[in-house]
Amino acid sequence: MSELIAIFTSTELVLGIITFLTSVVAAIVGVGGGMILITILPSFLPLNALIPVHGLTQVSSNLSRAFFGYKDIQYKVIPKFLIGSILGIALFAGVLSFISLSYVPLFIGVYILLSLWSEKFNEKIKRYENYYLAGFFQTGLSMVVGATGPLTMTLLLKDYQDKDKVVATGAILMSLTHFLKVVVFIYFGFVFFDYILIIVAMIFGAVFGSFVGTKSRNLIDGKKFTLILKVLLSILAIKLIIDILLKNIYLLF
């Protein structure tokens, strides 16, 4: 009994709550939850576990969100996206061998700021406006930066005006992205069982958050919520960048 109490008063509980909140965000606006989570996790997990644990948690978050909105999923885009994803994961998996894990938070922070505020960056992304290339880059890049949802959401927003269709379809596509990523990390030898309590707590929070967010989607002003989300993400991304730069400056001296 005392061991159970210890579990639910430690890191697992905190991460479960954080994952719940980020999953609610993602279920309401379609993106942002995974990005918030990936900027927070470096404070709780070692760098080698950051993207694998995040990926497995996001499988549950996105898959549950897709399940709760299954009637709105546009299934015709899935085969194209999946083909691109398989090619992307095969290519980008090799990049991990040449990247120092200590710089992963820096990549994440820069990517988030560019995707939120740089029109030129987003214009370049928009050039890849088909589901083959969206799958290729979204799944491939997720091996390095973790959360790449905006790549596909931009395309879905153009093709579908219905918010529920965009959120549900985006969720199933992100499920594929994170699932393939998890498979690759298992192949590389990452032992998810070493973080089993954290993963269980985060999965529980993710699924419950998807349920609450789906039910709340039409109760919140999307424009105001999106603006608040962008500001919050920017603050977290800047913190990631500053922390990694200060750490490297400290090592120099």
Side-chain angles (χ1 to χ4, degrees):
M1 183 66 180
S2 60
E3 292 180 357
L4 288 175
I5 293 174
I7 288 173
F8 288 104
T9 56
S10 60
T11 301
E12 288 82 1
L13 177 60
V14 174
L15 285 177
I17 293 172
I18 291 172
T19 306
F20 164 76
L21 295 173
T22 59
S23 190
V24 169
V25 169
I28 292 174
V29 296
V31 291
M35 279 187 166
I36 295 176
L37 186 61
I38 198 69
T39 60
I40 294 174
L41 284 181
S43 299
F44 295 90
L45 295 174
L47 292 176
N48 69 306
L50 179 60
I51 293 181
V53 171
H54 175 269
L56 185 55
T57 303
Q58 289 303 291
V59 170
S60 62
S61 178
N62 284 279
L63 201 57
S64 59
R65 188 160 73 250
F67 173 78
F68 293 129
Y70 72 95
K71 293 181 180 179
D72 296 302
I73 296 174
Q74 303 302 297
Y75 294 95
K76 63 182 180 181
V77 308
I78 295 177
K80 301 174 185 178
F81 182 86
L82 181 58
I83 291 172
S85 293
I86 293 172
L87 294 174
I89 206 80
L91 177 64
F92 281 85
V95 174
L96 290 180
S97 304
F98 303 98
I99 294 177
S100 170
L101 289 177
S102 62
Y103 290 101
V104 168
L106 179 63
F107 294 142
I108 293 170
V110 171
Y111 167 77
I112 289 173
L113 289 177
L114 287 174
S115 66
L116 288 176
W117 302 108
S118 173
E119 291 185 8
K120 289 184 178 180
F121 180 76
N122 285 306
E123 283 299 322
K124 290 182 178 180
I125 289 177
K126 289 178 182 178
R127 292 178 184 176
Y128 308 110
E129 288 190 320
N130 69 66
Y131 290 98
Y132 295 105
L133 287 174
F136 179 86
F137 284 104
Q138 177 168 296
T139 304
L141 288 172
S142 72
M143 293 292 298
V144 181
V145 299
T148 53
L151 291 175
T152 297
M153 294 303 288
T154 302
L155 183 54
L156 289 171
L157 284 169
K158 179 180 178 180
D159 289 346
Y160 303 104
Q161 300 301 314
D162 187 295
K163 185 178 182 181
D164 290 327
K165 291 181 179 179
V166 171
V167 173
T169 307
I172 197 66
L173 298 183
M174 281 304 300
S175 298
L176 292 172
T177 286
H178 290 297
F179 175 76
L180 290 172
K181 181 168 61 178
V182 167
V183 171
V184 169
F185 278 108
I186 290 174
Y187 174 77
F188 281 159
F190 183 81
V191 183
F192 284 94
F193 191 79
D194 289 347
Y195 302 89
I196 188 64
L197 294 179
I198 287 177
I199 290 170
V200 169
M202 292 176 71
I203 287 176
F204 180 82
V207 174
F208 187 45
S210 292
F211 175 77
V212 173
T214 299
K215 296 297 183 182
S216 308
R217 189 175 301 150
N218 296 322
L219 302 178
I220 299 175
D221 186 325
K223 291 184 178 179
K224 290 181 180 179
F225 191 85
T226 301
L227 178 59
I228 294 172
L229 179 62
K230 288 179 69 174
V231 173
L232 177 59
L233 280 170
S234 298
I235 292 172
L236 291 171
I238 291 170
K239 181 181 181 301
L240 278 181
I241 294 171
I242 291 175
D243 286 349
I244 193 67
L245 291 177
L246 289 177
K247 181 179 179 181
N248 280 277
I249 291 174
Y250 174 79
L251 291 175
L252 287 175
F253 294 96

